Structures are given as structure tokens and as C-alpha cells.
Amino acid sequence: MVRAEEIMVKDVAVVHPDDVVTDVVGLFVERNVTSAVVVDEKNTVKGIITDGDIMAAVRRRRPLVVDFFNFIWAAGDEVDLAVKAEALSTMKVKDLMTKQVITVGEDTEILEIARLMAEHKIKQIPVVRGNFLVGLVRRYDIVKAVAWQVNRLQNDTE
């Protein structure tokens, strides 16, 4: 069986809980990734931050509620992207990250990883040795492993 250690990415994008979100955005663009594992100074997994977390912060609406003589009126947050992007420059990773992270060990089989991803509707799972980050399995890594297996089977039947 194929295991996490055989398909995981070892060069994982990592950030720290007190990093600002705009730095994470820059990291995503620079590394062409959509997530970063949040670790402490000992490389212990503390969370994960994804492009989805950042998108949710950008599109988050804060309605303004006004009471005109007991008539409640709510106005939407019509702030433009530049203002929202500026707000990200003061926001910390720990304010947006997912804290309850599903992790797997290096010996976890690929089918179990795929099941966890489907069940929890997630796109990547950090791989740990103890509590320490050693890699990341993305959906793409699983698809690539499946493609390799299919190709191998086709070559065996020819």
C-alpha cells in the first residue's frame, strides 16, 4: 500500500501564529501554494491557514445596524477591496487559522488519507512525526499517485 511518506511534499509552506495575514498572502503568491501549516518555534503543528480562510475574511460583511425610532435598518458593508486588504495587514494568522487540524502519521495509507479528506471536506493534511511537522499531503498528491498506479496497470497489461 502507498503511504503518506511516499507521496507527501516535504518542503511545506509554514507560518507562525503571530505572523500578519498579508505576509501569508505574499507567501502564497511567491510559492504558488494555497495553504500554509501554522507551527510554533518547535515546529509543532498549531493550525492551518488556507486561501479559503483569507477569502472568507475578504468577503466577510459587517452590517451596520441603525435604530431609527425603533425601526431597525441594516446596511451592508460596502467597503472596497483596498480597504479590506489593508485590514488584513493588521490581522494575525491566529485570528483566521483553523485550529482543529486533522493530521496523519508518515505510515498512514493513502486510502485513509483520501477518506479523511472527503469526510472532513479538506484539501490537504499535514503529516507529523509525533507532533512535529514533516510533510503535507494534498489532494493533488493523491491524484498523482492514482495516475501513477493506473499507468502502471496499463503498462502491465500491454
Side-chain angles (χ1 to χ4, degrees):
M1 290 302 293
V2 178
R3 300 177 315 166
E5 66 184 349
E6 298 171 65
I7 64 168
M8 70 184 186
V9 174
K10 294 178 184 169
D11 183 22
V12 180
V14 296
V15 295
H16 301 279
D18 287 323
D19 289 349
V20 291
V21 175
T22 49
D23 290 343
V24 177
V25 171
L27 177 70
F28 284 7
V29 171
E30 178 185 313
R31 302 258 324 252
N32 194 29
V33 296
T34 59
S35 68
V37 179
V38 183
V39 298
D40 63 14
E41 61 283 344
K42 296 178 182 172
N43 205 37
T44 302
V45 175
K46 294 298 179 186
I48 193 164
I49 186 165
T50 68
D51 57 349
D53 298 324
I54 295 167
M55 290 297 297
V58 168
R59 72 175 175 261
R60 190 171 296 138
R61 300 175 67 88
R62 293 164 297 194
L64 171 66
V65 178
V66 181
D67 182 353
F68 288 114
F69 306 108
N70 295 324
F71 175 76
I72 305 296
W73 177 69
D77 180 7
E78 300 302 328
V79 177
D80 71 359
L81 180 60
V83 172
K84 289 196 175 204
E86 184 179 342
L88 293 178
S89 69
T90 60
M91 208 173 286
K92 302 282 186 179
V93 167
K94 64 185 171 190
D95 299 326
L96 290 184
M97 72 182 194
T98 300
K99 295 176 179 108
Q100 300 297 320
V101 181
I102 308 278
T103 61
V104 297
E106 296 164 285
D107 61 344
T108 305
E109 293 181 1
I110 191 172
L111 295 176
E112 174 62 9
I113 298 168
R115 183 193 68 74
L116 287 167
M117 287 180 173
E119 180 180 317
H120 296 281
K121 296 180 173 82
I122 55 179
K123 298 177 183 179
Q124 57 273 314
I125 295 182
V127 181
V128 295
R129 184 179 304 135
N131 288 326
F132 304 106
L133 179 67
V134 295
L136 184 74
V137 174
R138 306 161 300 174
R139 288 192 306 189
Y140 173 78
D141 301 315
I142 293 175
V143 170
K144 195 164 87 174
V146 169
W148 183 84
Q149 288 289 338
V150 167
N151 193 16
R152 194 176 122 227
L153 290 171
Q154 287 175 342
N155 289 336
D156 287 350
T157 59
E158 292 176 357

